[in-house]
């Protein structure tokens, strides 16, 4: 059985960890944004989309409490999942990566074209 691993989400402004089961992101644990100081500062989310129509989430006082709550929810959710659920998500993730790569390539090409256009507009005939 594949165990859970966590990876820091480098794109998040606040501290956030993505939780993976193999290569499939199955949830997250992170600091809550925009909440008063007197309420629970951490939150956890267990579940994924597409492929899993069941999910759970909640607040926690500390990271360790959020991790424990996530693990309890995951142990309840995992027996209800099939390999097909994970395949739907893996297929969706592959498409997302392909589309993101395509957008990145187009952005890079557009940026380099803009630099050339800017450089040409700065030239003057003497």
């Amino acid at each position: 059985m594949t165990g859970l691993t966590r990876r820091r989400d480098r794109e998040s402004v606040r501290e956030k960890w993505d939780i993976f089961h193999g290569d499939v992101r199955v949830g997250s644990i992170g600091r809550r944004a925009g909440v008063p100081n007197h309420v629970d500062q951490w939150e956890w989310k267990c579940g994924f989309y597409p492929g899993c129509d069941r999910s759970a989430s909640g607040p926690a006082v500390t990271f360790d409490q959020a991790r424990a709550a996530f693990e309890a929810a995951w142990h309840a959710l995992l027996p209800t999942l099939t390999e097909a659920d994970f395949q739907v998500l893996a297929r969706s993730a592959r498409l997302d990566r392909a589309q993101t790569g395509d957008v990145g390539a187009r952005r890079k090409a557009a940026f380099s074209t803009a630099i050339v256009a800017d450089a040409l507009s700065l030239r003057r005939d003497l």
Side-chain angles (χ1 to χ4, degrees):
M1 181 166 103
T2 304
L4 295 176
T5 58
R6 71 175 185 245
R7 299 178 203 149
R8 180 76 186 261
D9 183 348
R10 302 280 181 208
E11 295 180 8
S12 179
V13 174
R14 54 188 164 68
E15 185 176 356
K16 180 181 171 201
W17 298 86
D18 291 326
I19 312 297
F20 290 85
H21 177 73
D23 286 338
V24 176
R25 183 183 175 276
V26 295
S28 64
I29 298 173
R31 288 196 171 270
R32 296 170 70 190
V35 297
N37 290 334
H38 66 278
V39 300
D40 298 342
Q41 296 297 304
W42 290 86
E43 68 181 338
W44 58 273
K45 297 175 184 171
C46 180
F48 53 88
Y49 178 84
C52 174
D53 58 356
R54 302 159 303 279
S55 63
S57 63
V61 175
T62 66
F63 174 84
D64 290 331
Q65 288 178 353
R67 187 181 66 188
F70 177 90
E71 287 177 358
W74 176 249
H75 288 301
L77 177 63
L78 184 59
T80 68
L81 299 174
T82 65
E83 187 60 33
D85 294 326
F86 289 105
Q87 289 174 356
V88 167
L89 184 65
R91 187 176 325 115
S92 174
R94 283 193 303 272
L95 287 173
D96 287 347
R97 281 193 299 273
Q99 290 172 351
T100 302
D102 184 41
V103 168
R106 284 184 292 176
R107 181 180 296 145
K108 185 176 180 180
F111 183 70
S112 62
T113 303
I115 290 175
V116 170
D118 286 345
L120 291 175
S121 66
L122 294 175
R123 292 181 62 193
R124 291 188 324 192
D125 292 327
L126 297 176

